Amino acid sequence: YLSITAAVSAGKELTMAFLELLPLLLLLILLISALGAFLCSRILVRPVLEISRVSKRMANLDMTWECNMDRTDELGVLANSLNLMAKRLDAAMKELEHANQKLREEMEHITELSRQRRDFFAAASHELKTPITILKGQVESMILGIGKYKDTGNVLPGTLKEVENMERLVKEILAISKIEME
């Protein structure tokens, strides 16, 4: 049998030595933790914050940035993808703005054509009202036998002339409306 005995005072000495070193060990652990946190923030958190800032600008349709990261890991791939997406979105937005401007110009042209058509038909309507009023007056006077209209043989050639004028105006209106529809 082998029996080992140790003095009780050696355990107490070990505990006392550990308690004396405990503040230094805690300080060393705290320094290592702070250094680890600092490195973690530099290596991982800062690029994530930069990408977050860039994505917020992108969400506000601000494409005047570039996410510069010289990394080949997932964060670098994400930054490059954001750059590519921003360039494509910027090109698409410029193309849409150009198309929108062209559409505005076409709408202005259509509005102008519509105004011209409305003015034309107002003028044509006015021009047709005069001969129709003359014809109506002549026909009513012939029916009632008033004044010079009693002799319908002399008045009918003038009435026919007014009908021919109206026919000419209607043909002109039809020709113009065909041209506008093309």
Side-chain angles (χ1 to χ4, degrees):
Y1 291 100
L2 179 63
S3 152
I4 300 176
T5 57
V8 177
S9 66
K12 282 185 180 180
E13 286 178 17
L14 188 58
T15 303
M16 291 302 284
F18 180 73
L19 288 175
E20 285 178 14
L21 290 176
L22 184 63
L24 290 174
L25 288 174
L26 289 176
L27 183 62
L28 182 64
I29 290 171
L30 181 67
L31 287 175
I32 291 173
S33 298
L35 180 64
F38 177 76
L39 290 176
C40 182
S41 71
R42 288 287 179 187
I43 294 171
L44 296 175
V45 177
R46 182 176 279 177
V48 170
L49 290 175
E50 174 69 16
I51 289 173
S52 175
R53 184 186 61 78
V54 163
S55 66
K56 285 179 184 174
R57 288 179 68 182
M58 191 174 181
N60 291 328
L61 300 179
D62 177 12
M63 303 297 167
T64 60
W65 53 266
E66 189 168 323
C67 194
N68 294 325
M69 289 201 185
D70 298 327
R71 298 174 65 124
T72 57
D73 61 354
E74 291 81 5
L75 292 174
V77 170
L78 180 60
N80 289 334
S81 295
L82 280 174
N83 289 337
L84 181 62
M85 186 169 41
K87 287 177 186 173
R88 288 182 179 169
L89 279 174
D90 192 41
M93 285 174 45
K94 286 179 181 174
E95 188 176 316
L96 283 173
E97 286 173 3
H98 177 71
N100 195 13
Q101 179 62 30
K102 190 174 181 180
L103 185 61
R104 270 193 219 107
E105 290 170 1
E106 288 176 5
M107 289 298 295
E108 289 172 4
H109 180 69
I110 288 171
T111 303
E112 177 62 23
L113 287 177
S114 177
R115 186 194 60 76
Q116 287 176 356
R117 179 178 284 142
R118 189 175 55 248
D119 291 348
F120 170 77
F121 282 114
S125 171
H126 178 73
E127 290 297 320
L128 284 174
K129 282 181 186 176
T130 303
I132 288 174
T133 303
I134 292 170
L135 282 175
K136 183 178 178 187
Q138 287 178 351
V139 171
E140 285 176 353
S141 297
M142 282 186 244
I143 291 172
L144 296 173
I146 298 173
K148 69 176 186 176
Y149 296 103
K150 288 180 192 176
D151 184 13
T152 57
N154 288 333
V155 178
L156 282 176
T159 304
L160 179 61
K161 185 178 176 187
E162 287 299 323
V163 169
E164 289 170 349
N165 284 340
M166 281 181 39
E167 183 180 33
R168 181 185 49 79
L169 283 173
V170 169
K171 285 180 182 178
E172 287 177 14
I173 289 170
L174 287 174
I176 291 173
S177 71
K178 283 181 183 178
I179 290 171
E180 283 185 6
M181 287 185 180
E182 292 173 354

PDB file of all heavy atoms in Angstrom, residues 55-70:
ATOM      1  N   SER A  55     -27.995  50.067 -48.395  1.00  0.00           N
ATOM      2  CA  SER A  55     -29.312  49.552 -48.778  1.00  0.00           C
ATOM      3  C   SER A  55     -30.417  50.540 -48.417  1.00  0.00           C
ATOM      4  O   SER A  55     -31.423  50.633 -49.129  1.00  0.00           O
ATOM      5  CB  SER A  55     -29.565  48.192 -48.127  1.00  0.00           C
ATOM      6  OG  SER A  55     -29.663  48.320 -46.730  1.00  0.00           O
ATOM      7  N   LYS A  56     -30.238  51.308 -47.347  1.00  0.00           N
ATOM      8  CA  LYS A  56     -31.228  52.343 -47.013  1.00  0.00           C
ATOM      9  C   LYS A  56     -31.226  53.441 -48.065  1.00  0.00           C
ATOM     10  O   LYS A  56     -32.287  53.929 -48.461  1.00  0.00           O
ATOM     11  CB  LYS A  56     -30.931  52.937 -45.632  1.00  0.00           C
ATOM     12  CG  LYS A  56     -31.316  52.023 -44.494  1.00  0.00           C
ATOM     13  CD  LYS A  56     -30.978  52.627 -43.146  1.00  0.00           C
ATOM     14  CE  LYS A  56     -31.281  51.633 -42.037  1.00  0.00           C
ATOM     15  NZ  LYS A  56     -30.839  52.121 -40.727  1.00  0.00           N
ATOM     16  N   ARG A  57     -30.053  53.833 -48.531  1.00  0.00           N
ATOM     17  CA  ARG A  57     -29.981  54.840 -49.600  1.00  0.00           C
ATOM     18  C   ARG A  57     -30.621  54.293 -50.870  1.00  0.00           C
ATOM     19  O   ARG A  57     -31.300  55.025 -51.593  1.00  0.00           O
ATOM     20  CB  ARG A  57     -28.531  55.230 -49.861  1.00  0.00           C
ATOM     21  CG  ARG A  57     -27.944  56.077 -48.736  1.00  0.00           C
ATOM     22  CD  ARG A  57     -26.519  56.437 -48.982  1.00  0.00           C
ATOM     23  NE  ARG A  57     -26.395  57.355 -50.121  1.00  0.00           N
ATOM     24  CZ  ARG A  57     -25.238  57.795 -50.564  1.00  0.00           C
ATOM     25  NH1 ARG A  57     -24.110  57.439 -49.979  1.00  0.00           N
ATOM     26  NH2 ARG A  57     -25.195  58.624 -51.587  1.00  0.00           N
ATOM     27  N   MET A  58     -30.409  53.029 -51.122  1.00  0.00           N
ATOM     28  CA  MET A  58     -30.980  52.396 -52.301  1.00  0.00           C
ATOM     29  C   MET A  58     -32.505  52.352 -52.197  1.00  0.00           C
ATOM     30  O   MET A  58     -33.210  52.554 -53.189  1.00  0.00           O
ATOM     31  CB  MET A  58     -30.412  50.984 -52.439  1.00  0.00           C
ATOM     32  CG  MET A  58     -30.696  50.323 -53.722  1.00  0.00           C
ATOM     33  SD  MET A  58     -29.780  48.771 -53.717  1.00  0.00           S
ATOM     34  CE  MET A  58     -30.227  48.170 -55.301  1.00  0.00           C
ATOM     35  N   ALA A  59     -33.019  52.097 -51.001  1.00  0.00           N
ATOM     36  CA  ALA A  59     -34.468  52.072 -50.790  1.00  0.00           C
ATOM     37  C   ALA A  59     -35.081  53.444 -51.053  1.00  0.00           C
ATOM     38  O   ALA A  59     -36.250  53.540 -51.454  1.00  0.00           O
ATOM     39  CB  ALA A  59     -34.783  51.613 -49.368  1.00  0.00           C
ATOM     40  N   ASN A  60     -34.306  54.513 -50.861  1.00  0.00           N
ATOM     41  CA  ASN A  60     -34.773  55.870 -51.137  1.00  0.00           C
ATOM     42  C   ASN A  60     -34.482  56.292 -52.577  1.00  0.00           C
ATOM     43  O   ASN A  60     -34.563  57.476 -52.902  1.00  0.00           O
ATOM     44  CB  ASN A  60     -34.126  56.859 -50.169  1.00  0.00           C
ATOM     45  CG  ASN A  60     -34.613  56.675 -48.760  1.00  0.00           C
ATOM     46  OD1 ASN A  60     -35.757  56.294 -48.532  1.00  0.00           O
ATOM     47  ND2 ASN A  60     -33.755  56.930 -47.790  1.00  0.00           N
ATOM     48  N   LEU A  61     -34.139  55.322 -53.430  1.00  0.00           N
ATOM     49  CA  LEU A  61     -33.850  55.520 -54.855  1.00  0.00           C
ATOM     50  C   LEU A  61     -32.659  56.453 -55.084  1.00  0.00           C
ATOM     51  O   LEU A  61     -32.580  57.139 -56.091  1.00  0.00           O
ATOM     52  CB  LEU A  61     -35.085  56.038 -55.590  1.00  0.00           C
ATOM     53  CG  LEU A  61     -36.312  55.127 -55.538  1.00  0.00           C
ATOM     54  CD1 LEU A  61     -37.466  55.763 -56.273  1.00  0.00           C
ATOM     55  CD2 LEU A  61     -36.005  53.755 -56.110  1.00  0.00           C
ATOM     56  N   ASP A  62     -31.736  56.467 -54.135  1.00  0.00           N
ATOM     57  CA  ASP A  62     -30.487  57.214 -54.269  1.00  0.00           C
ATOM     58  C   ASP A  62     -29.428  56.233 -54.772  1.00  0.00           C
ATOM     59  O   ASP A  62     -28.990  55.354 -54.042  1.00  0.00           O
ATOM     60  CB  ASP A  62     -30.086  57.811 -52.919  1.00  0.00           C
ATOM     61  CG  ASP A  62     -28.743  58.531 -52.984  1.00  0.00           C
ATOM     62  OD1 ASP A  62     -28.241  58.769 -54.100  1.00  0.00           O
ATOM     63  OD2 ASP A  62     -28.209  58.843 -51.909  1.00  0.00           O
ATOM     64  N   MET A  63     -29.042  56.397 -56.035  1.00  0.00           N
ATOM     65  CA  MET A  63     -28.089  55.452 -56.634  1.00  0.00           C
ATOM     66  C   MET A  63     -26.714  56.090 -56.825  1.00  0.00           C
ATOM     67  O   MET A  63     -25.933  55.677 -57.661  1.00  0.00           O
ATOM     68  CB  MET A  63     -28.610  54.973 -57.988  1.00  0.00           C
ATOM     69  CG  MET A  63     -29.957  54.326 -57.940  1.00  0.00           C
ATOM     70  SD  MET A  63     -29.943  52.840 -56.951  1.00  0.00           S
ATOM     71  CE  MET A  63     -31.680  52.567 -56.780  1.00  0.00           C
ATOM     72  N   THR A  64     -26.400  57.113 -56.028  1.00  0.00           N
ATOM     73  CA  THR A  64     -25.139  57.833 -56.174  1.00  0.00           C
ATOM     74  C   THR A  64     -24.075  57.296 -55.231  1.00  0.00           C
ATOM     75  O   THR A  64     -23.266  58.045 -54.725  1.00  0.00           O
ATOM     76  CB  THR A  64     -25.354  59.334 -55.894  1.00  0.00           C
ATOM     77  OG1 THR A  64     -25.845  59.466 -54.553  1.00  0.00           O
ATOM     78  CG2 THR A  64     -26.324  59.950 -56.870  1.00  0.00           C
ATOM     79  N   TRP A  65     -24.047  56.045 -55.008  1.00  0.00           N
ATOM     80  CA  TRP A  65     -23.114  55.442 -54.058  1.00  0.00           C
ATOM     81  C   TRP A  65     -22.497  54.207 -54.692  1.00  0.00           C
ATOM     82  O   TRP A  65     -22.966  53.731 -55.722  1.00  0.00           O
ATOM     83  CB  TRP A  65     -23.847  55.031 -52.778  1.00  0.00           C
ATOM     84  CG  TRP A  65     -25.032  54.181 -53.080  1.00  0.00           C
ATOM     85  CD1 TRP A  65     -26.309  54.606 -53.245  1.00  0.00           C
ATOM     86  CD2 TRP A  65     -25.052  52.785 -53.316  1.00  0.00           C
ATOM     87  NE1 TRP A  65     -27.130  53.561 -53.563  1.00  0.00           N
ATOM     88  CE2 TRP A  65     -26.374  52.414 -53.611  1.00  0.00           C
ATOM     89  CE3 TRP A  65     -24.095  51.790 -53.312  1.00  0.00           C
ATOM     90  CZ2 TRP A  65     -26.749  51.111 -53.898  1.00  0.00           C
ATOM     91  CZ3 TRP A  65     -24.477  50.486 -53.598  1.00  0.00           C
ATOM     92  CH2 TRP A  65     -25.797  50.170 -53.875  1.00  0.00           C
ATOM     93  N   GLU A  66     -21.476  53.719 -54.061  1.00  0.00           N
ATOM     94  CA  GLU A  66     -20.903  52.429 -54.443  1.00  0.00           C
ATOM     95  C   GLU A  66     -20.396  51.778 -53.176  1.00  0.00           C
ATOM     96  O   GLU A  66     -19.756  52.402 -52.344  1.00  0.00           O
ATOM     97  CB  GLU A  66     -19.774  52.611 -55.453  1.00  0.00           C
ATOM     98  CG  GLU A  66     -19.330  51.279 -56.015  1.00  0.00           C
ATOM     99  CD  GLU A  66     -18.439  51.441 -57.222  1.00  0.00           C
ATOM    100  OE1 GLU A  66     -18.666  52.352 -58.021  1.00  0.00           O
ATOM    101  OE2 GLU A  66     -17.495  50.632 -57.337  1.00  0.00           O
ATOM    102  N   CYS A  67     -20.721  50.534 -53.034  1.00  0.00           N
ATOM    103  CA  CYS A  67     -20.333  49.777 -51.840  1.00  0.00           C
ATOM    104  C   CYS A  67     -18.960  49.155 -52.121  1.00  0.00           C
ATOM    105  O   CYS A  67     -18.847  48.112 -52.754  1.00  0.00           O
ATOM    106  CB  CYS A  67     -21.387  48.709 -51.548  1.00  0.00           C
ATOM    107  SG  CYS A  67     -21.245  47.990 -49.926  1.00  0.00           S
ATOM    108  N   ASN A  68     -17.905  49.812 -51.647  1.00  0.00           N
ATOM    109  CA  ASN A  68     -16.537  49.357 -51.905  1.00  0.00           C
ATOM    110  C   ASN A  68     -16.072  48.438 -50.784  1.00  0.00           C
ATOM    111  O   ASN A  68     -15.777  48.888 -49.692  1.00  0.00           O
ATOM    112  CB  ASN A  68     -15.584  50.548 -52.014  1.00  0.00           C
ATOM    113  CG  ASN A  68     -15.885  51.394 -53.218  1.00  0.00           C
ATOM    114  OD1 ASN A  68     -16.267  50.877 -54.250  1.00  0.00           O
ATOM    115  ND2 ASN A  68     -15.735  52.691 -53.081  1.00  0.00           N
ATOM    116  N   MET A  69     -16.011  47.179 -51.093  1.00  0.00           N
ATOM    117  CA  MET A  69     -15.500  46.198 -50.125  1.00  0.00           C
ATOM    118  C   MET A  69     -14.571  45.263 -50.869  1.00  0.00           C
ATOM    119  O   MET A  69     -14.953  44.648 -51.856  1.00  0.00           O
ATOM    120  CB  MET A  69     -16.653  45.404 -49.509  1.00  0.00           C
ATOM    121  CG  MET A  69     -17.476  46.205 -48.580  1.00  0.00           C
ATOM    122  SD  MET A  69     -18.340  45.132 -47.492  1.00  0.00           S
ATOM    123  CE  MET A  69     -19.314  46.323 -46.633  1.00  0.00           C
ATOM    124  N   ASP A  70     -13.363  45.193 -50.392  1.00  0.00           N
ATOM    125  CA  ASP A  70     -12.372  44.315 -51.002  1.00  0.00           C
ATOM    126  C   ASP A  70     -12.367  42.988 -50.260  1.00  0.00           C
ATOM    127  O   ASP A  70     -11.362  42.586 -49.680  1.00  0.00           O
ATOM    128  CB  ASP A  70     -10.984  44.973 -50.959  1.00  0.00           C
ATOM    129  CG  ASP A  70     -10.946  46.257 -51.755  1.00  0.00           C
ATOM    130  OD1 ASP A  70     -11.662  46.329 -52.766  1.00  0.00           O
ATOM    131  OD2 ASP A  70     -10.217  47.183 -51.360  1.00  0.00           O
TER     132      ASP A  70
END
